[in-house]
Amino acid sequence: MAFHSNVFGSGVVAMVTRTDTGMTEPFTIAIDGPAAAGKGTISKAVAAHFGYAHLDTGLLYRAIGAKVMTGSDAIEATVGLRAEDLEVDGLRTAEVAQAASKVAVIPEVRAALLDFQRAFARRAGGAVLDGRDIGTVICPQAEVKLFVTASAEVRGKRRYDELVGRGDTITLDDVIEDVRARDARDMERVEAPLKPAEDAHVLDTSALSISDAVAEAIAAITQKLS
Ligand code: DC
């Protein structure tokens, strides 16, 4: 496979937020959990706090799902994924989320994304990866693992507010049903199902504000670092 012109060889500009701390040793923080539990917000805040690079692995599956929605073959779309595919508008919609969850059950799709994610995780300077299988499959040796979760109702309401805020016309019941359908598909698939790693710190954000959830995540990581 020629990875030069695709996302795997591109430096992944789109997904990286990084402040330089001068640290050169690899250090991996794996953040997993179901849809809309707060992983993305927590991961970005953690990466900014510790000065690590951040990879939103869900965006890889969303970009592939979006290509499949326009008629591409899932495996071809994965192998040919380019950095600019991660920047196209509309990757955050509910339809693309379902398409992402569907392509994510295909073993060849997951296998083709493996090396790229592992290399990102071990880059010098530290990395935060968020997804579903980071602590279990991609980086079982991660120095810190968090599993961020919340009830389906709370997650559905958060996602509903986000979608309505962006102008989508959708009902709360439909969003909660979408969240449950995606949970079921992500947890029941054979390949790399969503589940907490045995050594993960479980963070339930159901009753937490964003700032409290971020503070708890940073405290849990700081404790592991010391
Ligand atoms: O995190 P997200 O909602 O953007 O993820 C979209 C879908 O991608 C999710 O429903 C399942 C899949 N996914 C996955 O299977 N493994 C990951 N590491 C990240 C996402």
Side-chain angles (χ1 to χ4, degrees):
M1 271 178 247
F3 284 160
H4 276 320
S5 58
N6 67 14
V7 68
F8 308 105
S10 67
V12 225
V13 197
M15 301 171 289
V16 176
T17 48
R18 168 127 209 245
T19 329
D20 207 339
T21 55
M23 179 177 144
T24 51
E25 290 302 306
F27 189 96
T28 310
I29 300 177
I31 304 188
D32 291 305
K39 309 185 292 301
T41 308
I42 291 173
S43 300
K44 282 192 203 94
V46 162
H49 181 85
F50 292 101
Y52 293 174
H54 171 228
L55 176 62
D56 170 3
T57 64
L59 208 52
L60 302 172
Y61 293 93
R62 283 174 184 263
I64 299 161
K67 280 178 169 278
V68 169
M69 282 168 72
T70 57
S72 297
D73 169 77
I75 298 166
E76 279 171 23
T78 308
V79 173
L81 200 63
R82 301 162 71 97
E84 51 266 38
D85 296 330
L86 307 175
E87 292 173 31
V88 301
D89 286 340
L91 292 185
R92 299 281 170 203
T93 65
E95 292 75 21
V96 173
Q98 292 295 342
S101 174
K102 286 177 188 160
V103 298
V105 306
I106 304 170
E108 292 86 348
V109 167
R110 306 200 71 85
L113 296 173
L114 198 70
D115 287 349
F116 167 69
Q117 293 176 88
R118 284 193 177 147
F120 189 96
R122 298 317 285 167
R123 58 193 282 142
V128 179
L129 286 83
D130 74 88
R132 301 291 187 288
D133 61 340
I134 308 302
T136 51
V137 174
I138 305 296
C139 307
Q141 313 299 337
E143 279 78 3
V144 182
K145 297 176 188 176
L146 296 185
F147 190 83
V148 180
T149 189
S151 72
E153 290 74 16
V154 167
R155 291 185 288 121
K157 177 69 167 73
R158 285 180 190 158
R159 189 45 55 88
Y160 170 78
D161 289 343
E162 189 187 319
L163 293 170
V164 168
R166 285 208 310 248
D168 280 19
T169 40
I170 193 158
T171 69
L172 177 58
D173 282 351
D174 282 348
V175 179
I176 294 176
E177 199 172 309
D178 262 20
V179 162
R180 287 192 201 281
R182 204 138 67 91
D183 283 357
R185 200 180 299 113
D186 295 347
M187 291 191 291
E188 286 163 17
R189 68 179 176 227
V190 175
E191 198 80 20
L194 168 66
K195 63 174 179 193
E198 275 177 19
D199 50 348
H201 174 95
V202 177
L203 176 55
D204 189 328
T205 67
S206 301
L208 296 179
S209 65
I210 291 172
S211 56
D212 285 349
V214 168
E216 197 176 321
I218 290 174
I221 296 164
T222 306
Q223 200 183 9
K224 289 268 186 183
L225 283 167
S226 61

